[in-house]
Amino acid sequence: MADKPEDDEAAPDEWGRLGAFIRSQRRLKELSQRELAKLTDLSDPYVSQIERGLHQPSVRVLKSLANALNVQVETMLVAAGLIDAKHRDSVQLDAETAIRTDPKLTDDQKEALLSVYKSYVSTNSNNLSTTAGSRS
Amino acid sequence: MADKPEDDEAAPDEWGRLGAFIRSQRRLKELSQRELAKLTDLSDPYVSQIERGLHQPSVRVLKSLANALNVQVETMLVAAGLIDAKHRDSVQLDAETAIRTDPKLTDDQKEALLSVYKSYVSTNSNNLSTTAGSRS
DNA sequence: GATGGCTGCTAGAAAAACTTTGCAGATGCA
DNA sequence: TGCATCTGCAAAGTTTTTCTAGCAGCCATC
């Protein structure tokens, strides 16, 4: 009985959902709390507390758990309600963000590129408003 | 052997990388630590500590930061070394495509920007040894 | 009916995250 | 020059995570 995704009464902290997810994954793998604790290098009571949603695990712990349960960290975060699963198709962001987060560029290069980009945009919308001639 | 630290575990440096990433993102957005703190509902000294790699932010904090900096949580995790690089493709938005499809740019501007971008990337891959672009 | 090993959990202490307060350097203005 | 304001950071406090020690129930084998 206690196996069904507990109907949460009011607003179960998203952490309750995460805990339930972890517990179900652990049981699917037929692991005890102590075994999972050993795999993740955590203490068994703490695993228990996380599964019951009593605490908010840190990133470090989340990674260990995902690793031990053979689940992607992303999936964990989705279960925790921290990421919207739909986030992935609408990856059409503006060039500014893309440049800023591009791992293939150094910070200096990003700055230079962004500077050019901004000047372009501001030039194009010159007769509209904005302006704010940057370029320091 | 039972338990061997199979987990490479993060050198203290790993968290330093996350901090450096956050700091560079903040600066690229031209925000002060206090402004970022206000956006994320954190204290300014804590932002400072995170940027210097003194602490490992919790999931909650990581989400706030990602949100305020307009980067995806996944990107943060990659920067923190918590997600394998193989996920990058789905995570990292391709700057080239973003530039090419940006409606705020004219075709000529796109071409110019892409030309600069490509030259940067090829420059970086030429001197692979550069490494740790500890500029600033 | 003990003994032993297994399960999950409670309770209090240690450790780490996070905050409030405040300080020193830099910049701008009267 | 002095005052105001901004920047980033240090110290010490509070809150939360995480661990160590230990309890009670269940199923075996003796």
Side-chain angles (χ1 to χ4, degrees):
Chain A
M1 343 315 199
D3 211 18
K4 109 207 236 180
E6 299 299 312
D7 241 3
D8 336 291
E9 5 267 333
D13 296 0
E14 286 142 10
W15 305 106
R17 293 188 74 93
L18 175 62
F21 175 78
I22 291 173
R23 171 165 289 186
S24 88
Q25 289 301 309
R26 175 175 63 82
R27 286 188 172 150
L28 242 52
K29 282 197 155 322
E30 299 188 357
L31 293 171
S32 70
Q33 290 181 344
R34 277 186 167 82
E35 287 169 327
L36 179 56
K38 204 151 215 167
L39 285 174
T40 54
D41 224 16
L42 296 170
S43 67
D44 16 318
Y46 189 46
V47 171
S48 168
Q49 289 167 346
I50 289 177
E51 287 187 352
R52 283 174 295 148
L54 268 58
H55 295 296
Q56 308 183 8
S58 70
V59 243
R60 189 192 91 227
V61 169
L62 213 63
K63 187 204 173 185
S64 288
L65 287 169
N67 204 31
L69 293 172
N70 289 330
V71 179
Q72 301 202 337
V73 179
E74 277 182 326
T75 309
M76 288 291 220
L77 294 174
V78 171
L82 286 170
I83 292 181
D84 267 335
K86 56 192 171 186
H87 221 74
R88 6 201 69 214
D89 348 77
S90 63
V91 190
Q92 173 51 8
L93 296 176
D94 59 340
E96 198 174 324
T97 304
I99 291 172
R100 279 202 350 258
T101 59
D102 194 321
K104 295 198 285 289
L105 297 174
T106 69
D107 278 3
D108 279 356
Q109 291 169 341
K110 289 176 188 174
E111 238 170 284
L113 218 49
L114 279 173
S115 166
V116 175
Y117 173 78
K118 284 177 183 169
S119 84
Y120 281 168
V121 173
S122 104
T123 295
N124 293 343
S125 60
N126 211 356
N127 42 2
L128 291 180
S129 60
T130 56
T131 68
S134 49
R135 181 58 211 125
S136 43
Chain B
M1 1 244 104
D3 51 286
K4 120 198 215 188
E6 88 229 355
D7 237 303
D8 58 291
E9 202 24 341
D13 250 294
E14 293 283 346
W15 294 104
R17 282 211 344 241
L18 174 62
F21 175 78
I22 291 173
R23 169 164 291 186
S24 88
Q25 291 302 305
R26 175 176 64 81
R27 287 192 170 147
L28 286 168
K29 290 207 99 184
E30 298 187 356
L31 292 172
S32 71
Q33 288 181 344
R34 278 185 167 82
E35 287 170 328
L36 178 57
K38 204 152 216 169
L39 286 174
T40 54
D41 225 12
L42 295 170
S43 66
D44 15 320
Y46 189 47
V47 171
S48 168
Q49 289 167 348
I50 290 177
E51 288 188 352
R52 281 174 295 148
L54 269 57
H55 294 296
Q56 307 182 9
S58 69
V59 200
R60 187 193 97 230
V61 169
L62 212 64
K63 186 198 173 188
S64 288
L65 287 169
N67 203 34
L69 294 171
N70 287 331
V71 307
Q72 298 182 257
V73 178
E74 290 101 323
T75 306
M76 288 290 221
L77 294 175
V78 170
L82 288 171
I83 293 183
D84 279 342
K86 58 184 173 187
H87 284 184
R88 276 192 180 184
D89 306 338
S90 59
V91 164
Q92 171 58 39
L93 159 66
D94 178 24
E96 210 173 312
T97 306
I99 291 174
R100 202 166 269 137
T101 61
D102 194 319
K104 295 197 286 290
L105 296 174
T106 69
D107 282 358
D108 281 353
Q109 290 169 340
K110 288 177 189 173
E111 231 172 289
L113 217 49
L114 280 173
S115 159
V116 176
Y117 173 78
K118 285 176 182 170
S119 85
Y120 279 166
V121 172
S122 87
T123 295
N124 293 343
S125 53
N126 275 346
N127 332 350
L128 284 176
S129 52
T130 40
T131 73
S134 57
R135 317 220 12 100
S136 85

